Amino acid sequence: MFRKVLVANRGEIAVRVMRACEELNISTVAVYSEADKNGGHVRYADEAYKVGPARAADSYLDHDAVIEAAQKADADAIHPGYGFLAENAAFARKVEDTDGITWVGPAGDSMEQLGEKTKARKTMEAADVPIVPGTTDPVEDPEAVKEFGDEYGYPVAIKAEGGGGGRGMKIVESPEEVEDQLESAKREGEAYFDNANVYLERYLENPRHIEVQILADHHGNVRHLGERDCSLQRRHQKVIEEGPSPALSDELREKIGEAARRGADQAGYYNAGTFEFLVEEEDRDADAGEVLGPDANFYFLEVNTRIQVEHTVTEELTGIDIVKWQLRVAADEELGFSQDDVDLDGHAMEFRINAENAAKEFQPATGGKLVTYDPPGGIGVRMDDALRQGDKLVTDYDSMIAKLIVWGSSREECIERSLRALREYDLEGVVTIIPFHRLMLTDEEFVAGTHTTKYLDEHIDRDRIAEAQEQWGTETMTADDEDVVEREFTVEVNGKRFEVELEERGGMAIPTGSDGDDRPEAAGPSGVDSGGGGAVAGAVTAEMQGTILDVEVDVGDEVAAGDVLLVLEAMKMENDVVADASGTVSEIAVEEGQSVDMGDTLVVLE
């Protein structure tokens, strides 16, 4: 077994991996960006190394910086968590080629084979796993998209090869949308996954999203650990996951699980992974308790060549610690259980605690501080988190700040226990989607288990979400506690972090000088004041922190209300910034690739 593992990630998943390491008596190493210098994963680790500034591309995604930190720490393995470098085959190969360091995950070649969607589709075809009608080679020409639409009908899904979770996927409703959506999908693929290749699929109108957890070792053993239902999504981003699926019969469940095992065998896959499927039965008008039979259509969607956010659901159902087995497999141990040993006990749900306002189309929070943080507990309740009371919200990365996982002996008990736990969750100072979760656990369609991936985006009454937010929601608070003055002294020697903290209560603040935490606010892009300067007449400003992906207009252009001015990436999502009124573009204050803060002027209209 390993002596010391570097976790190339942040937040709750980094702490989750470190906890598994601690139970295996393995020392842990954290990496952190400038934005995360006070992060919970940094506090938890045995040692920590700074790898760069806040921008992920210059820190958490910097291959050389992460490997160099592992070498400085004398770590003998790197665990990537999920996101960031977890599915980056090039990085996996670099780690594999580094003397003395083991990659905790599938081989780089296997990651490439299954991580890039066109290659994965070919592999599944060879394993006799059903795939959605589509292309198995990258598509460049808009005419190819139109020809596909003519053959299979609209809508058509354009997907980035390296994409996932809805990122890099665009839905084309008609031939007129092809060029813009093709360009947008390619742009997202390049920005998020360093791969601009895209492919096409027939877009399934009303599916269930079912995924199967896989564990495989270096000795040819492959086990599936049952399925999870991830159908409750907004804009293709999961918000509640559960298992077993309330929509599947036992016969269909077994067919999908065996298909996943065949696919893993065909790819020579090892370590943890998830095979995702779309399940659809035409003209189904389900009632509560009705399940899909063994003849229902199911199609391979993609493979996630890593641990997933919702792996916790499977752990609660099976009692199998998936992260520990990732480490054991990487250390060349053989799986210690057979397929027949895998039993699903009871029902489990995971609630993503995102710093978002569900009443405002799940808009990510732009700041906040956990003035109160008292998570729930009790039988059947698990919390995976990294933040603690008093922590400030870091908005440079994903909006998920914690995960609440609840187990019950039945789906009914799980729902009841989940409601209790969510009511018990005392969190103040940061807006979250906890009110949305409470609403869903009393929602007729969700409770009946008849919802599909389209339910949140197309069917739910938005007024109900707003009412839940008003009744149970919290407000963002950014003011510091005036009664407590904190000073933090940080010393970095060869990039390694050492720190001393001093807390004063009831006294005046100690002047910190140039080495303290109190720094003047930086000017915004193009010299625009990010703070309290006077508003510019006709200015269109950023509603959230993010990066400019595309500028759609030029100075002198005439625009109408609703026209797209530019595309802003925030919290891993593309957001169209539109004109509120008609006018002429007199100034463009930003450029592609530029980072902006909330309130920054983007475009000025006259």
Side-chain angles (χ1 to χ4, degrees), residues 524-527 546-549 568 589-596 600-601:
S526 303
T547 302
I548 303 300
L549 288 184
L568 175 70
V590 293
E591 59 186 20
E592 291 182 16
Q594 182 173 326
S595 297
V596 296
D600 286 351
T601 296

Side-chain angles (χ1 to χ4, degrees), residues 6 49 64-75 78 98-99 101:
L6 180 142
Y49 290 80
D64 294 337
V66 172
I67 292 174
E68 182 181 352
Q71 291 171 324
K72 285 181 179 178
D74 193 26
I78 292 178
T98 301
D99 290 339
I101 301 180

Side-chain angles (χ1 to χ4, degrees), residues 487-543:
R487 288 190 71 198
E488 180 180 285
F489 301 87
T490 302
V491 178
E492 291 174 3
V493 180
N494 293 326
K496 184 176 180 180
R497 173 192 181 92
F498 301 89
E499 59 186 27
V500 177
E501 295 181 350
L502 174 66
E503 185 174 280
E504 283 201 342
R505 297 179 180 272
M508 295 181 62
I510 304 172
T512 59
S514 60
D515 292 329
D517 255 351
D518 297 333
R519 295 185 293 274
E521 291 294 324
S526 303
V528 178
D529 184 2
S530 299
V536 179
V540 178
T541 59
E543 295 186 356

